Amino acid sequence: MSTYDPAALECLAAIVEEGGFERAAQRLNVTQSAVSQRLRALEAQVGSVLIVRSRPLRPTSAGQLLLKHTKQLRLLRADLERDLQELAPSAHGGGREEERISIAINADSIATWALDALHDLVRQRLPLEIIVDDQDFTQEWLRSGQVLGCVTTLKQALRGCKMVPLGAMRYVAVASASFAEKHLPGGLTAHNFREVSYLSFNRKDDMAAEFVARAFGLKRVALNHLFVPSSEGQLHAVKAGWAVGVLPELLVRSGLADGSLVDMAPGQELPIKLYWHCWNLESEVLDTLTQALTEAAGRTLAA
């Protein structure tokens, strides 16, 4: 079995993670020529192209396998760091910045409960990287080997992975008090929901349409969207009177309590079940991540 140069593997990872050869060279503190040479040597050893030179760059199937292998090596090194810290607490801990432990989490979880779960790991100097995507698509980052775990709506465990239920995040439709009074004084109904705009994270986000369809027993709805790619940004836009937002109840709870926000469909909510998927490996860091996320979700999300 071939033994792959760790520096060459980290070079491949840097190219993919940074999105190009120049930024990879800057991160690794080498020349761009050195990055190209390391990649060519690795491709020659594997006997296959590892990077598709498109915009953006993306790994081939062989590149994805080596990328996953590289991240598994990072986990082993992170486990070793933690064990050494226990034996010699005064020793300098923390992995190298270029050997980041990457996970994919949806923006609403980041804005409400997930960061608290990761607090202790960050204090322990774990070089963590959080990649943000829609909860229906975070698993693609795991499937491609670019992250070691993800928070997603996918219930079935991916191949080679384990899955842990986290609970359900409840979504409600809200608007500012002034917006509601001006445009929807009687709240959202099956007859007026098309008269206003709705906030969405991006074009992949169908939360608002799913909420309206469920609330009024419709199979498919077409809505007018304003795109704001941030949970906190959407909350700010709702309070400013831009549109109706279908947001996590955890995020809007204080606004509903003080009257600055109005529930536009009382009694209606959209529960989105979330799951943590990660590689099925024996790893102290991975187990700690899983435990931290599961416990935090258990304290905040609905059963």
Side-chain angles (χ1 to χ4, degrees):
M1 182 176 179
S2 298
T3 300
Y4 300 104
D5 179 11
L9 292 172
E10 282 297 336
C11 180
L12 170 66
I15 294 170
V16 175
E17 292 168 351
E18 299 296 337
F21 287 73
E22 182 178 356
R23 289 177 61 87
Q26 292 173 354
R27 179 170 126 185
L28 298 175
N29 197 28
V30 298
T31 65
Q32 191 169 335
S33 176
V35 169
S36 298
Q37 290 173 10
R38 290 180 187 179
L39 178 63
R40 283 198 298 269
L42 189 59
E43 288 180 328
Q45 183 179 6
V46 175
S48 176
V49 174
L50 301 176
I51 294 289
V52 177
R53 289 162 174 78
S54 57
R55 291 190 178 182
L57 293 174
R58 58 182 178 85
T60 63
S61 296
Q64 289 180 3
L65 289 175
L66 287 183
L67 188 61
K68 182 176 181 179
H69 175 66
T70 304
K71 292 183 181 292
Q72 290 174 343
L73 291 177
R74 289 180 183 177
L75 266 183
L76 291 174
R77 287 190 287 268
D79 284 338
L80 178 60
E81 285 279 356
R82 288 167 64 90
D83 291 341
L84 289 175
Q85 276 285 297
E86 291 180 2
L87 294 174
S90 61
H92 177 71
R96 293 180 294 177
E97 191 277 335
E98 67 269 19
E99 297 184 356
R100 290 170 288 187
I101 303 299
S102 302
I103 57 178
I105 305 179
N106 60 307
D108 289 336
S109 290
I110 292 173
T112 51
W113 64 271
L115 291 188
D116 289 340
L118 302 171
H119 182 67
D120 286 344
L121 284 169
V122 173
R123 289 185 61 187
Q124 295 169 20
R125 300 175 61 84
L126 183 73
L128 189 66
E129 177 183 20
I130 301 175
I131 294 173
V132 183
D133 205 342
D134 185 276
Q135 62 266 12
D136 293 335
F137 296 91
T138 47
Q139 71 271 9
E140 296 306 320
W141 293 87
L142 181 59
R143 198 190 307 272
S144 68
Q146 296 186 65
V147 300
L148 59 84
C150 68
V151 174
T152 176
T153 54
L154 183 67
K155 183 176 181 179
Q156 183 177 0
L158 296 175
R159 179 181 177 184
C161 297
K162 57 184 177 182
M163 180 276 292
V164 180
L166 295 174
M169 182 172 287
R170 297 193 300 262
Y171 286 78
V172 294
V174 296
S176 68
S178 59
F179 183 96
E181 182 179 1
K182 180 178 180 180
H183 298 286
L184 298 169
L188 280 173
T189 70
H191 305 290
N192 66 11
F193 70 84
R194 292 186 179 87
E195 297 175 7
V196 295
S197 296
Y198 299 79
L199 291 165
S200 293
F201 191 81
N202 54 31
R203 296 183 183 277
K204 295 188 292 186
D205 181 10
D206 61 357
M207 189 71 69
E210 188 175 350
F211 179 93
V212 170
R214 180 187 178 100
F216 304 123
L218 304 173
K219 289 186 177 181
R220 183 178 297 178
V221 297
L223 304 177
N224 295 318
H225 293 279
L226 297 177
F227 297 106
V228 178
S230 159
S231 301
E232 297 87 345
Q234 287 191 25
L235 178 59
H236 184 79
V238 168
K239 289 184 175 180
W242 283 24
V244 173
V246 177
L247 301 175
E249 190 273 339
L250 289 169
L251 190 63
V252 302
R253 184 176 296 169
S254 61
L256 291 172
D258 65 24
S260 61
L261 297 178
V262 176
D263 188 341
M264 302 306 298
Q268 297 289 343
E269 64 178 29
L270 178 64
I272 299 297
K273 292 184 178 180
L274 297 176
Y275 304 87
W276 166 248
H277 293 244
C278 64
W279 294 337
N280 192 16
L281 299 173
E282 291 188 10
S283 164
E284 184 179 352
V285 167
L286 201 52
D287 289 345
T288 303
L289 261 173
T290 299
Q291 181 179 357
L293 289 165
T294 303
E295 290 179 352
R299 291 190 300 267
T300 54
L301 301 183

